[in-house]
């Protein structure tokens, strides 16, 4: 079993590059353009996720679902790494990961998307408290 996993890990990049070379020849677009474009897109996804992870962590401290934020961040990081990896097959897998409706309304992540930052207070919950004026 160990050798099978090792073979998959070692052969997937080679097969991915061969598929990319054939796809580039079929479309007429140079292979370096496919690889450069997907690498730039992967770096953009990772940089964007780095900024959004802080907001999700702060939202989790305020009481939002920690699992939902971590699942969404994890899938975006994996998609960014797959976009950086050379090849069309890894790019397709990354796009499928990015298109999963995990953090959308009606998805299996919960009823509301994660909201963090300086936006207003959302929800129909009532805040109770005491008021005392200090002079």
């Amino acid at each position: 079993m160990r050798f099978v996993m090792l073979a998959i890990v070692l052969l997937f990049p080679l097969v991915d590059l061969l598929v990319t070379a054939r796809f580039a020849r079929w479309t007429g677009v140079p292979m370096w353009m496919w690889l450069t474009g997907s690498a730039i897109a992967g770096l953009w996804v990772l940089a964007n996720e780095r900024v959004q992870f802080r907001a999700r962590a702060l939202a989790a401290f305020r009481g939002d679902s920690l699992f939902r934020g971590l699942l969404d961040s994890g899938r975006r990081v994996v998609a960014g790494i797959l976009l950086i990896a050379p090849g069309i097959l890894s790019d397709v897998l990354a796009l499928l990961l990015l298109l999963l409706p995990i953090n959308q309304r009606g998805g299996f992540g919960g009823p509301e998307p994660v909201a963090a930052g300086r936006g207003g207070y959302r929800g129909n919950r009532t805040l109770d408290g005491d008021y005392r004026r200090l002079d």
Side-chain angles (χ1 to χ4, degrees), residues 8 13 25 134:
I8 290 172
R25 188 178 316 139
L134 298 173

Side-chain angles (χ1 to χ4, degrees), residues 36-114:
T36 305
S38 67
I40 289 171
L43 290 173
W44 180 79
V45 167
L46 285 177
N48 192 25
E49 185 55 34
R50 185 180 66 95
V51 171
Q52 289 182 0
F53 180 75
R54 181 177 181 271
R56 285 193 187 96
L58 291 174
F61 284 132
R62 285 194 301 259
D64 284 350
S65 173
L66 179 64
F67 176 73
R68 183 174 51 181
L70 286 177
L71 182 66
D72 192 43
S73 290
R75 85 178 162 96
R76 287 184 186 187
V77 167
V78 170
I81 291 171
L82 283 173
L83 280 170
I84 291 172
I88 294 290
L89 296 178
S90 60
D91 294 346
V92 169
L93 288 174
L95 291 177
L96 288 176
L97 276 176
L98 288 174
L99 291 176
L100 285 175
I102 291 175
N103 207 11
Q104 306 297 324
R105 291 185 189 271
F108 60 86
E112 294 181 7
V114 175

